[in-house]
Amino acid sequence: AQTVTQSQPEMSVQEAETVTLSCTYDTSESNYYLFWYKQPPSRQMILVIRQEAYKQQNATENRFSVNFQKAAKSFSLKISDSQLGDTAMYFCAFMMYTGTASKLTFGTGTRLQVTL
Amino acid sequence: GAVVSQHPSWVICKSGTSVKIECRSLDFQATTMFWYRQFPKQSLMLMATSNEGSKATYEQGVEKDKFLINHASLTLSTLTVTSAHPEDSSFYICSASPRGRGSLSSYNEQFFGPGTRLTVL
């Protein structure tokens, strides 16, 4: 079974600064995907970024980037130029590749507060 | 992007009654839908995986007779909480994955509904 661990229950960052959220996971699979989801107060789950495990290059989406260390089973999220709208719960998630729809395993989440 | 709706967005019911929650994919066909449960300030826990035209697969510890799932069409899955009790009060979220076989470079993305808040008195 796969497990996802987020060791930072809460973090705070000032507007325009950079913050890194940590995530580690455990799996014996070689083909899988990793995700960061954002859940704002509305509670709608929003995909922030994804990483295919077979790709060595770290994924980037505008101000969001990841540091994927496959051997260390680490998948951190860096948010640059933080904005007030980034305030939310952030969940790291794992999906095994099966060729069809597969379930997501979520970490416990990190609550990020962006302050003025 | 693909849109998933849930109905109702919130519901309050009396203990012992049954409540049905609908999950619809509005602009795509979903072979598979997933039902998650989220307690306050906690993560999402998968309850069951629902495949169109077949029985749902429940996660360990989830009572299948209490949480009835029906995936009758490629755009609709329903979760019925039977004989609800206060401990069933929670936020229920569904997600839907489009029809088709994914490749390693084109995974089967999950699109999430907005969630349903259930309060059992």
Side-chain angles (χ1 to χ4, degrees):
Chain A
Q2 287 69 230
T3 59
V4 179
T5 302
Q6 294 179 249
S7 59
Q8 306 154 313
E10 294 184 359
M11 293 197 71
S12 181
V13 63
Q14 286 192 320
E15 195 177 23
E17 296 297 307
T18 296
V19 64
T20 299
L21 308 184
S22 301
C23 173
T24 58
Y25 60 95
D26 189 26
T27 184
S28 58
E29 303 293 329
S30 56
N31 291 323
Y32 52 88
Y33 309 95
L34 295 164
F35 306 85
W36 279 96
Y37 282 90
K38 169 184 177 180
Q39 189 180 41
S42 69
R43 304 193 77 170
Q44 172 72 56
M45 295 292 286
I46 300 168
L47 177 63
V48 175
I49 197 166
R50 75 168 185 269
Q51 174 80 43
E52 292 89 341
Y54 71 89
K55 289 186 177 180
Q56 292 186 337
Q57 186 173 7
N58 289 323
T60 300
E61 287 287 343
N62 300 313
R63 298 183 294 108
F64 300 89
S65 61
V66 299
N67 184 1
F68 173 48
Q69 301 290 326
K70 190 172 184 178
K73 297 180 181 175
S74 171
F75 183 61
S76 62
L77 174 69
K78 185 171 81 171
I79 305 175
S80 304
D81 186 26
S82 296
Q83 300 176 0
L84 294 177
D86 295 333
T87 293
M89 280 290 290
Y90 286 82
F91 293 100
C92 179
F94 174 100
M95 177 193 287
M96 186 171 64
Y97 170 72
T98 63
T100 58
S102 184
K103 66 180 182 182
L104 286 162
T105 300
F106 288 92
T108 51
T110 296
R111 183 173 301 277
L112 177 66
Q113 180 72 47
V114 181
T115 60
L116 292 171
Chain B
V3 180
V4 176
S5 69
Q6 279 185 243
H7 178 80
S9 56
W10 60 270
V11 57
I12 301 173
C13 69
K14 293 182 179 180
S15 185
T17 61
S18 294
V19 175
K20 180 184 285 188
I21 302 170
E22 292 185 349
C23 177
R24 293 183 184 272
S25 56
L26 299 184
D27 50 6
F28 67 97
Q29 292 183 326
T31 308
T32 305
M33 290 184 174
F34 301 87
W35 287 95
Y36 296 86
R37 183 175 181 176
Q38 186 179 30
F39 289 108
K41 297 185 178 182
Q42 294 190 23
S43 186
L44 282 73
M45 298 299 294
L46 179 68
M47 299 175 65
T49 301
S50 166
N51 290 296
E52 188 265 337
S54 63
K55 291 184 178 181
T57 301
Y58 291 82
E59 294 297 299
Q60 192 173 11
V62 177
E63 300 175 62
K64 60 182 179 182
D65 293 332
K66 181 170 186 59
F67 299 99
L68 301 179
I69 292 173
N70 187 349
H71 193 158
S73 76
L74 286 172
T75 58
L76 173 64
S77 177
T78 60
L79 167 67
T80 301
V81 183
T82 63
S83 186
H85 291 283
E87 58 266 30
D88 298 324
S89 297
S90 188
F91 193 66
Y92 293 87
I93 305 174
C94 74
S95 69
S97 194
R99 189 176 192 176
R101 187 168 182 85
S103 65
L104 197 56
S105 61
S106 177
Y107 78 110
N108 294 86
E109 184 172 354
Q110 288 187 31
F111 299 95
F112 285 84
T116 296
R117 181 180 300 281
L118 170 63
T119 301
V120 184
L121 302 176

